Amino acid sequence: MISAILSGRIPVSSSNLASVGYSAFSETLEIEFHGGRVYQYFDVPASEYAGLMAAGSHGTYFHAHIKDRYSYKKVH
């Protein structure tokens, strides 16, 4: 369901993150890490996604603003 919405992740230049996808409809952020792990973070506002994508360091932004602040599940 949500995975289908987020199947179009955008590659990012980061030593930590490989790609990022977002659904404004469900406020779900999907992050693929280097190594292939994929997680979905729930109830993430669009402003948080915009901040992540605009950040000079996607990994630093993720650790400061998203990790451990939103509920999540491992997709694979």
Side-chain angles (χ1 to χ4, degrees):
M1 171 176 81
I2 292 173
S3 292
I5 294 170
L6 297 175
S7 61
R9 288 189 303 267
I10 300 167
V12 293
S13 179
S14 170
S15 61
N16 198 2
L17 314 181
S19 63
V20 176
Y22 184 71
S23 168
F25 175 75
S26 64
E27 293 190 316
T28 301
L29 177 69
E30 185 170 278
I31 296 180
E32 176 189 12
F33 293 89
H34 290 295
R37 295 172 295 133
V38 177
Y39 288 83
Q40 290 178 340
Y41 296 83
F42 305 105
D43 301 316
V44 178
S47 59
E48 200 76 270
Y49 169 67
L52 173 65
M53 296 308 284
S57 170
H58 302 295
T60 298
Y61 189 95
F62 169 77
H63 285 287
H65 298 276
I66 297 167
K67 183 179 180 185
D68 299 328
R69 292 183 182 230
Y70 297 96
S71 61
Y72 65 92
K73 76 172 183 177
K74 184 175 182 179
V75 177
H76 54 68

